[in-house]
Amino acid sequence: MSVRTAETRANGVAIPSGAQSARALIDLRNLITEGEISPGERFTEAQLAKRLGMSRTPIRAAIQHLREEGMIETLSAGGYTVRGFQILEIGEAIELRGMIEGLAARLLAERGTKPEDMARLEGIVAGIDSLLDQPRFTATDIATYTKLNAEFHDSLAEATASTLLIQETRRANSRPFAFASALVHVHQDEETARRHLVVAQDQHRAVVEAIRGREGARAEAIMREHARLSYRNLTTALKSRAAIGSIKGAGLIQRIG
């Protein structure tokens, strides 16, 4: 059974099931990424419950979830605060994701992959090919790519049938600015985005070929390099005010380290 049956997604990040819990997490994440709660600002469960119009139980669960992601810290004097993220720290989180996904790809190549799992990966790759081959690439297409890209990364982990790897992949993809599609939107225009995504898609295709060919080391190396594209996107975006402004939650990024 797919791990996605027990959760939904917000901004590409897995969130727990349950209407109130899901709503609390989405609303709290939005308050943070839209700058309505600033890094260093103190808040409490009671304040958030009043602000969001719900009981403290789902608020408590949302805070715990974001604490695990590293977005919220507990204050020694009581209450919580939003933390900022240094560039180096984001780079480490992206590298960690690449290591975990690289391991998943290597194990699929070495142990063999079920035909239905391989067919799913190949189907997603074919879908992205069709998207990128269109005469005109639009903002709507970027959103579609984001969805397909998340499916590819999810399916890669799920194909291992390893509870541990699935959990750790999900955890790595929940870290701010480090999940697979976090930095897809940083390009100045749709055609620039398409050129970048063609490179990422070539890596998708290559890792599937390596898995099919039972080339474990190659599959692992491709996925690790694939993750590094996200870090290159981030460093490129930091050179442009318009580009960095396109990243949701950019105010949390500290340009030091």
Side-chain angles (χ1 to χ4, degrees):
M1 180 178 67
S2 168
V3 295
R4 287 191 298 271
T5 59
E7 60 190 28
T8 184
R9 285 186 167 268
N11 302 321
V13 178
I15 63 175
S17 60
Q20 284 295 304
S21 295
R23 180 193 155 200
L25 183 54
I26 291 171
D27 288 353
L28 179 53
R29 191 192 302 279
N30 286 340
L31 286 177
I32 294 170
T33 58
E34 292 171 8
E36 295 189 42
I37 302 178
S38 303
E41 179 182 344
R42 180 182 177 276
F43 59 89
T44 65
E45 287 179 10
Q47 289 170 340
L48 285 178
K50 182 177 180 180
R51 186 170 184 173
L52 297 177
M54 60 180 68
S55 71
R56 291 175 64 171
T57 299
I59 294 295
R60 186 176 303 118
I63 289 173
Q64 178 60 27
H65 193 95
L66 294 182
R67 283 183 63 212
E68 291 174 359
E69 289 184 14
M71 188 175 280
I72 287 176
E73 292 179 324
T74 302
L75 295 173
S76 58
Y80 306 91
T81 190
V82 174
R83 61 187 297 268
F85 294 87
Q86 295 184 17
I87 304 302
L88 178 61
E89 180 182 10
I90 297 170
E92 290 171 346
I94 292 171
E95 183 76 14
L96 179 60
R97 173 170 64 81
M99 291 172 63
I100 294 169
E101 293 183 331
L103 174 59
R106 177 167 64 81
L107 292 179
L108 288 176
E110 292 177 350
R111 297 175 179 175
T113 307
K114 292 180 180 179
E116 58 268 31
D117 291 328
M118 183 60 70
R120 176 168 177 76
L121 289 169
E122 290 174 338
I124 295 169
V125 169
I128 297 175
D129 275 338
S130 297
L131 188 70
L132 295 177
D133 286 343
Q134 295 180 115
R136 185 167 178 269
F137 195 68
T138 67
T140 300
D141 294 322
I142 293 177
T144 302
Y145 173 90
T146 298
K147 179 177 179 295
L148 289 170
N149 186 52
E151 288 181 8
F152 181 87
H153 286 261
D154 285 348
S155 297
L156 190 74
E158 290 173 13
T160 67
S162 165
T163 300
L164 178 61
L165 264 180
I166 292 169
Q167 289 175 341
E168 291 306 313
T169 300
R170 185 191 310 166
R171 189 189 305 275
N173 271 292
S174 71
R175 296 185 183 279
F177 312 108
F179 61 90
S181 297
L183 301 169
V184 167
H185 299 271
V186 301
H187 302 283
Q188 294 178 349
D189 55 62
E190 287 79 5
E191 281 306 314
T192 302
R194 177 174 13 206
R195 288 195 295 273
H196 163 79
L197 298 179
V198 165
V199 175
Q201 171 66 350
D202 186 61
Q203 291 174 335
H204 290 153
R205 191 181 303 105
V207 76
V208 170
E209 290 173 354
I211 291 170
R212 189 191 309 112
R214 308 297 289 267
E215 301 173 272
R218 179 179 174 229
E220 181 173 23
I222 292 167
M223 285 310 295
R224 293 189 65 167
E225 184 62 29
H226 184 62
R228 291 184 182 126
L229 278 179
S230 295
Y231 188 67
R232 290 204 291 275
N233 276 348
L234 177 62
T235 55
T236 298
L238 289 172
K239 299 173 185 177
S240 165
R241 182 172 297 178
I244 196 65
S246 69
I247 301 175
K248 192 168 185 180
L252 301 177
I253 300 175
Q254 301 173 345
R255 301 194 188 203
I256 59 173

